[in-house]
Amino acid sequence: MRKFIHHLTVVALTLAMVPTAWAWGPKTQLSIVTTAAHLLSKEGGIQLRQMDEHIREGALASQDALKEQYPELRLGDEIGAISGEMQLLQAVRGDAIDAYFAYRLGMLGKLVAQVTAPMSQEDATYRNLYYADVEERIQRIGLDAAARKRVEPKDYFTRVILEANVNNDVIAGEYEDGDGFEGLAQSSLAIDAARSVSAVADTWYTILSGRAVQGGISEEQLRNYVVDAHGYYIRAGKVAELKAAKERLAKIIEPDPDMLVRIGDLYYEAQRFDEAVAVYEKVLADMPQRRDVAERIAAYYLQKGDKALNDGRLEDAEGNFASALSSDPLHNTAEGRRLEAVGMIADRDARLEATRRALEAASQLQAMADQESLKNRYAEAAVLLRQSRDTYQSISDEFPLEYQRALNNVRDIQYRLQELRQQILANAQQFSGTGSALDAQSLADEGAAIFDKQALTALVSGAYEREMRQLEEDIRERATVN
Amino acid sequence: MADKKVPCPFCERMADPEKVPGPGDIICVQCGMNLLTGLKVDRGQPARSSAKIPWFGILAALVTVLVVALVAGGVYWIVLRDPVERAREAGRGGNVLDGIEILEAHIAKVPEDAEAHLVMGQLYWQGSEFARAAAEFSIASRLAPQDEDAALLTVVASEKGKTVDYTNTQIAALQRLVQEQPRNARALYLLGLALGTIGDHVGQASALERALALGTDDVPEESLRAQLAVAQALLGQTAAAEEQSQKALAQNPNDGDVQALQGFLASLRGENSIATAALEQAVRESTSVGELAKGRLGLARLEEGRFDEALALLREAKNAPGAPPATEFYHALALQLNGLNEEAVAAFDQIANTPGKFSGDAAMQLGQIYLDQNKIDPASEALRRAQSNGESSARLYTLLGRMEMLQGNVGEAQNSFRQALQLDRDYAPAHLENGLAFVSRGSLIEGVQELRRYLELVSPENPGSRYPEIELLVNQLSEASDQAPVIEAAR
């Protein structure tokens, strides 16, 4: 029971990994392909070790990628797919194996492994159980090396497929009986795996050792191969490898404009816009009537312009919009957006000018404040400093240099205001004693009344004294008897 | 009593009445003539008579009878004539004492003889005994109030004699005179002046108004008006005083005293610029109250902030003889305001040590000078002296507060300022100092409030108030108090 549950779990996991009814699990496929690569390298004839990474990548391609790459698979013609791929690879082989070629080998190896797997035609339940069990064990089995054979796809694979599926009924019966992988499946695993390995190795051997024949391969296929190769390198970001492979790919078939456009698109999709545009512009230079290319270029520059706008790089945006217009003079929005960018530049420049004027004004206010402070006119200095600070604070962060300068000056002003405050407070005490002058005036006021009254009294007494003297003068004769 | 010898009309020698044998007789010791009978006394020989009808005898008898008659007549003339006249004669003859004696004897019998008293007074005057003359004249005036001479002589003799209560004697005599002679303008004028000198300005004004109403030329009208104006001013009737002084000035525009009167009247009204101009004119025209005018001008210069001019004027006023004590104080104040602190300290110190109206103020000024120089101990001593002189004013407490501030005792200082303001809530310097105390504590809002109150109380035109500077300070402090939250936020 436990075993059953375990199997059930593995099956579920495998089903998750193997969404379609293909042969071998992914780990098994990879093991088969890599083993085949090692075998070929070991056998000395073909060095694939350096391409191991790319082969593995091909072997790990998704089923959808396989179907995409091998349209025959949609029609169920696996052998046709293998055959066609073999012809193509033979045709494009050249004198060296590049990364994409190895990748294609890996994909082909995966396909071959799948095709040559046992139980591929059996009921999905048992098939998946079997493959799940194989996934657990594939790393532990030893594979017998067989001599390499050239492959004639139809015959070869018909035979191999037959051999691979000869035990299907038994294996299925064992699973049905509950024995699972314990019976024939297990005992035949090594042979089955080796078969697949040999099939892959033989297939590659046929491709790599045979004479390169381009007959039977359409230009369309060659073009697709070259474009796909570009796509492979571009998506992986393997710029250097693409550069190295470019010349070899060009020998396969010289890119025509459509190919270039497709290659440009690949660059574009990979967001390698500069390279994409370079390709597009090359196309456009040769074929100015290609509006689709012009539109692509324009779209690129417009996108670039928009990004530049978002980033605040208005000149770049304006340039990009101008480039878009240059690429596609009939573009219905490029000019408008270019003008918009021009307008934004003008506005920005105006704001920058205003910002600089504000800085200048604030600086002048600061200088004036310093002058007032030197004259001990602290209130005026404080007012000017505040005005200066407010001006600095009105400056936005749109222009970093100016903004930083404003921030620095605001800080300086804050310290200066604090200093002024201290000076004001210290200066205040000098006014102590001012009231003494008022007291003196008040005393003078009081004294005035004293002097006034004394003077008036003195006028009376003075007049009286004079009258006395005059009276004495007048009456002197009558004062005596003489 | 002086020697009672009388001149012998026969030998012209002085007879000594004490040596005569009989009562009442006056015999000349030199020639033996009986001054009363006119007969010569033969001390060793009896008188002889004749047996025949001697015509010589009859003739002699007739002569004798005639002589006797003459002598009797003479004696009658001499003994029974007016003693006052006799006294006069004696006085004319230079025998003042005789005359006085005659009158004394007479007055003893007839004490209500006004004329006798009058002559007595004249005799005393002649003998330069003015006090006694005044007394006699006063009695004569009282007995004969209609006698103008008696009254006037009373006044003049009293003035010359300067007895203790002489002014009242003068006034009494003049009052009697004007009662009898209500149209005597001069008497009324004199009465008014006399009443003015003793401070009876009501009486002064009344008398002068009466004199003025007479419309006579006996007393110059401008003099009457001027003195009336003085009386009215001293009674607080400033409008009436101004009217009278203007009329006086119109009648005598070059009179220095009238100019001075104009000035002091304007000063009393608070019209300082008019007062200053008039007093300056008065000094130029020469006035009897020149020192006081200069003193008042000095005060005006102090109020105007022209301290150097004030000092010069007050120095002149102080050095004039009879300068009032106030001049010393204000001269010292002018020294202080001119920055001559050393001299000011010496002057104030002397005044503070002299009991008087200005001792307390002088002590406070002294304290203020020391405070301005940050000399706390002498300042403390001076202010303590002010307190012991009875000072307890807003000004004193403000100075005490300043002293505390100098010592860093802000709390104590503000207590003093509060006390000052309790005494006088509109005392501007206390608000100023209190405001500065708040500022020193960092309480800017309260400080600004107090300084604003100071600005409300003082005049912007007053240079001593430092209005513009303190207004600026208020603005600065307001700015400083406003910016504090901004700085805090920035921190």
Side-chain angles (χ1 to χ4, degrees):
Chain A
M1 186 58 182
R2 197 167 59 193
K3 209 185 242 184
F4 176 73
I5 292 172
H6 170 71
H7 275 307
L8 211 58
T9 306
V10 171
V11 166
L13 289 171
T14 304
L15 283 173
M17 290 185 294
V18 184
T20 59
W22 287 103
W24 296 128
K27 195 195 294 185
T28 308
Q29 291 170 15
L30 182 63
S31 295
I32 290 168
V33 171
T34 54
T35 302
H38 292 156
L39 274 178
L40 279 182
S41 299
K42 184 179 173 186
E43 286 165 2
I46 299 164
Q47 289 302 320
L48 294 176
R49 288 188 201 280
Q50 291 173 352
M51 293 293 148
D52 189 53
E53 175 196 345
H54 306 291
I55 292 171
R56 288 168 64 88
E57 198 175 331
L60 289 171
S62 67
Q63 289 302 123
D64 289 337
L66 275 182
K67 286 181 186 172
E68 185 70 28
Q69 192 65 57
Y70 311 124
E72 296 86 345
L73 292 179
R74 296 181 198 275
L75 299 174
D77 183 6
E78 295 91 350
I79 295 172
I82 292 170
S83 175
E85 182 70 357
M86 285 178 69
Q87 282 183 340
L88 176 61
L89 291 179
Q90 278 180 303
V92 302
R93 188 188 71 202
D95 53 2
I97 299 173
D98 59 32
Y100 183 62
F101 189 88
Y103 171 76
R104 291 291 285 262
L105 285 178
M107 282 185 80
L108 180 59
K110 179 185 175 82
L111 179 59
V112 169
Q114 288 179 351
V115 166
T116 58
M119 296 291 283
S120 63
Q121 294 160 6
E122 284 300 318
D123 181 74
T125 305
Y126 301 130
R127 181 177 72 232
N128 293 337
L129 281 171
Y130 170 75
Y131 291 145
D133 287 333
V134 170
E135 285 284 281
E136 289 179 12
R137 292 165 175 81
I138 189 65
Q139 300 288 345
R140 298 196 294 267
I141 60 167
L143 299 174
D144 295 329
R148 295 277 74 83
K149 296 191 267 297
R150 288 191 176 278
V151 171
E152 197 287 309
K154 187 171 170 49
D155 292 339
Y156 180 91
F157 283 103
T158 302
R159 179 180 58 75
V160 170
I161 289 170
L162 274 174
E163 288 176 5
N165 289 281
V166 72
N167 294 322
N168 287 357
D169 291 338
V170 177
I171 294 171
E174 288 174 352
Y175 275 97
E176 188 177 9
D177 294 342
D179 294 329
F181 198 75
E182 302 304 323
L184 184 59
Q186 181 171 327
S187 61
S188 64
L189 177 59
I191 295 169
D192 291 330
R195 185 184 306 111
S196 289
V197 169
S198 293
V200 173
D202 290 343
T203 302
W204 288 354
Y205 175 76
T206 303
I207 294 168
L208 296 171
S209 63
R211 186 166 52 88
V213 176
Q214 289 202 0
I217 300 299
S218 65
E219 284 193 352
E220 181 67 21
Q221 282 179 285
L222 293 174
R223 279 198 288 272
N224 287 339
Y225 178 84
V226 169
V227 171
D228 289 344
H230 277 82
Y232 172 75
Y233 289 118
I234 290 168
R235 281 190 292 273
K238 297 178 191 237
V239 177
E241 281 142 319
L242 173 58
K243 197 174 173 184
K246 245 187 181 19
E247 195 176 327
R248 209 179 72 75
L249 290 171
K251 285 180 183 171
I252 297 172
I253 184 167
E254 189 65 31
D256 61 15
D258 285 333
M259 282 176 68
L260 288 174
V261 170
R262 287 169 65 191
I263 292 168
D265 289 345
L266 287 168
Y267 275 122
Y268 201 96
E269 285 161 12
Q271 299 193 354
R272 301 183 70 87
F273 301 115
D274 292 341
E275 285 119 326
V277 168
V279 172
Y280 291 144
E281 284 176 343
K282 188 177 174 190
V283 172
L284 200 61
D286 293 335
M287 300 185 74
Q289 67 280 11
R290 287 292 298 263
R291 277 206 49 76
D292 59 327
V293 176
E295 287 172 3
R296 279 177 167 80
I297 296 171
Y300 162 70
Y301 280 122
L302 286 173
Q303 186 185 18
K304 204 172 169 187
D306 287 340
K307 185 170 187 317
L309 268 184
N310 286 340
D311 293 343
R313 294 176 287 110
L314 299 181
E315 281 79 5
D316 288 346
E318 193 267 335
N320 286 320
F321 294 140
S323 297
L325 191 63
S326 170
S327 301
D328 184 6
L330 298 178
H331 197 285
N332 57 354
T333 62
E335 176 60 9
R337 289 158 82 170
R338 189 190 71 81
L339 290 173
E340 184 185 342
V342 167
M344 290 173 73
I345 289 169
D347 290 344
R348 193 250 356 247
D349 289 346
R351 288 194 303 278
L352 178 60
E353 180 57 29
T355 296
R356 287 178 178 161
R357 281 201 302 272
L359 277 175
E360 182 59 31
S363 178
Q364 284 180 357
L365 287 168
Q366 255 185 300
M368 287 163 63
D370 288 340
Q371 290 297 319
E372 292 295 323
S373 181
L374 285 174
K375 296 175 198 168
N376 293 339
R377 291 161 59 88
Y378 301 123
E380 286 76 2
V383 168
L384 288 167
L385 281 175
R386 284 211 180 79
Q387 288 176 349
S388 175
R389 183 193 61 194
D390 292 344
T391 305
Y392 280 129
Q393 287 177 333
S394 71
I395 292 171
S396 71
D397 57 359
E398 181 178 0
F399 306 105
L401 250 160
E402 286 77 9
Y403 181 65
Q404 189 58 44
R405 187 177 151 197
L407 283 180
N408 291 341
N409 281 307
V410 165
R411 192 170 50 246
D412 290 344
I413 286 172
Q414 299 288 50
Y415 285 127
R416 187 73 190 102
L417 282 170
Q418 183 67 3
E419 278 180 357
L420 269 182
R421 184 171 191 265
Q422 295 305 323
Q423 281 175 314
I424 288 168
L425 295 180
N427 185 51
Q429 298 310 316
Q430 68 169 289
F431 290 97
S432 177
T434 295
S436 60
L438 297 174
D439 288 332
Q441 288 164 355
S442 175
L443 286 169
D445 270 342
E446 293 170 10
I450 295 173
F451 275 83
D452 293 342
K453 191 170 177 190
Q454 279 194 326
L456 292 173
T457 307
L459 283 171
V460 175
S461 56
Y464 191 54
E465 284 171 17
R466 287 192 296 277
E467 282 303 310
M468 285 296 107
R469 286 195 293 274
Q470 186 60 49
L471 181 61
E472 182 182 340
E473 198 61 36
D474 295 343
I475 208 167
R476 186 187 302 278
E477 286 186 4
R478 301 199 293 279
T480 62
V481 297
N482 289 331
Chain B
M1 183 86 178
D3 191 346
K4 289 188 181 173
K5 290 184 180 176
V6 295
C8 174
F10 302 102
C11 71
E12 294 184 357
R13 291 184 181 138
M14 296 304 289
D16 187 353
E18 289 181 352
K19 292 186 178 170
V20 300
D25 289 345
I26 303 173
I27 305 295
C28 177
V29 298
Q30 301 298 327
C31 67
M33 288 296 287
N34 188 321
L35 298 179
L36 291 177
T37 63
L39 299 174
K40 188 166 183 180
V41 176
D42 184 3
R43 294 196 178 115
Q45 297 175 355
R48 290 183 294 183
S49 60
S50 175
K52 6 176 180 180
I53 303 175
W55 290 106
F56 179 78
I58 294 172
L59 185 63
L62 285 173
V63 168
T64 301
V65 170
L66 186 63
V67 167
V68 167
L70 285 170
V71 169
V75 168
Y76 176 79
W77 180 75
I78 291 171
V79 173
L80 297 182
R81 69 176 175 172
D82 186 9
V84 174
E85 187 56 36
R86 283 192 290 117
R88 277 205 188 93
E89 275 196 21
R92 286 193 200 102
N95 300 319
V96 170
L97 291 176
D98 291 345
I100 289 171
E101 188 177 350
I102 294 170
L103 288 173
E104 278 181 349
H106 174 67
I107 287 167
K109 295 177 199 167
V110 189
E112 279 120 30
D113 188 345
E115 190 179 3
H117 285 288
L118 181 69
V119 174
M120 180 79 100
Q122 289 172 325
L123 290 173
Y124 275 127
W125 181 291
Q126 219 166 306
S128 298
E129 291 192 36
F130 300 111
R132 290 186 178 184
E136 292 301 320
F137 288 138
S138 176
I139 294 172
S141 166
R142 198 167 53 247
L143 292 172
Q146 72 284 358
D147 188 345
E148 182 174 351
D149 281 353
L152 295 179
L153 286 169
T154 303
V155 171
V156 175
S158 297
E159 186 70 20
K160 291 176 76 70
K162 290 277 195 294
T163 55
V164 173
D165 204 17
Y166 76 97
T167 309
N168 286 333
T169 304
Q170 292 172 319
I171 291 169
L174 288 167
Q175 281 174 335
R176 287 193 291 272
L177 180 59
V178 301
Q179 193 167 4
E180 293 298 321
Q181 299 181 16
R183 296 192 61 79
N184 189 331
R186 193 175 186 190
L188 283 165
Y189 180 55
L190 284 169
L191 177 61
L193 291 176
L195 289 168
T197 60
I198 65 167
D200 182 359
H201 304 300
V202 173
Q204 177 187 4
S206 173
L208 293 172
E209 281 165 353
R210 284 171 61 186
L212 197 60
L214 293 173
T216 68
D217 295 332
D218 296 340
V219 178
E221 187 180 332
E222 60 270 22
S223 300
L224 285 171
R225 291 195 183 280
Q227 289 302 319
L228 178 58
V230 171
Q232 287 166 333
L234 289 169
L235 289 169
Q237 300 165 4
T238 50
E242 170 65 13
E243 184 185 346
Q244 292 300 332
S245 72
Q246 287 289 354
K247 288 178 179 174
L249 187 65
Q251 287 166 334
N252 197 355
N254 296 322
D255 188 324
D257 277 359
V258 178
Q259 291 280 359
L261 173 63
Q262 285 276 306
F264 286 108
L265 290 179
S267 174
L268 279 174
R269 294 193 304 270
E271 294 173 7
N272 288 336
S273 57
I274 297 174
T276 303
L279 291 174
E280 285 169 349
Q281 179 69 17
V283 169
R284 281 194 293 274
E285 298 288 348
S286 182
T287 168
S288 64
V289 289
E291 298 81 15
L292 289 166
K294 287 177 185 173
R296 180 63 187 88
L297 284 169
L299 294 185
R301 297 292 183 260
L302 285 181
E303 289 178 286
E304 293 163 6
R306 293 154 68 174
F307 300 137
D308 50 349
E309 293 178 33
L311 180 59
L313 286 162
L314 287 165
R315 184 181 293 123
E316 281 190 55
K318 176 183 84 74
N319 291 333
T327 322
E328 286 281 347
F329 175 79
Y330 288 104
H331 174 254
L333 185 63
L335 285 171
Q336 178 188 359
L337 292 172
N338 276 281
L340 301 170
N341 286 330
E342 207 175 305
E343 293 90 334
V345 163
F348 281 131
D349 192 53
Q350 187 175 358
I351 298 169
N353 286 330
T354 306
K357 178 178 169 16
F358 293 98
S359 59
D361 283 324
M364 283 198 286
Q365 290 304 117
L366 207 51
Q368 185 179 295
I369 292 173
Y370 287 131
L371 285 174
D372 290 342
Q373 296 173 341
N374 292 336
K375 292 179 179 175
I376 296 173
D377 290 340
S380 174
E381 170 59 33
L383 295 177
R384 205 168 18 247
R385 210 190 315 177
Q387 281 179 305
S388 67
N389 283 342
E391 278 296 330
S392 177
S393 60
R395 186 163 163 238
L396 175 68
Y397 283 105
T398 303
L399 290 170
L400 289 170
R402 280 186 62 199
M403 189 172 67
E404 294 291 348
M405 282 295 291
L406 282 179
Q407 297 173 81
N409 303 328
V410 183
E412 291 294 328
Q414 290 200 279
N415 283 339
S416 293
F417 297 142
R418 274 192 283 275
Q419 273 186 291
L421 292 170
Q422 279 174 358
L423 288 170
D424 181 359
R425 66 191 189 128
D426 290 337
Y427 183 58
H431 284 290
L432 173 68
E433 299 295 336
N434 199 30
L436 295 176
F438 273 123
V439 169
S440 74
R441 283 169 44 191
S443 302
L444 299 190
I445 295 174
E446 293 90 338
V448 165
Q449 197 173 354
E450 280 289 86
L451 292 173
R452 283 207 172 112
R453 182 66 186 135
Y454 169 81
L455 291 175
E456 287 171 7
L457 291 170
V458 300
S459 164
E461 285 79 33
N462 187 339
S465 70
R466 295 186 73 184
Y467 190 99
E469 293 95 328
I470 294 177
E471 185 181 42
L472 179 60
L473 173 66
V474 167
N475 291 337
Q476 291 173 354
L477 292 171
S478 298
E479 292 290 344
S481 65
D482 285 341
Q483 74 174 304
V486 174
I487 291 173
E488 290 301 321
R491 288 202 189 113

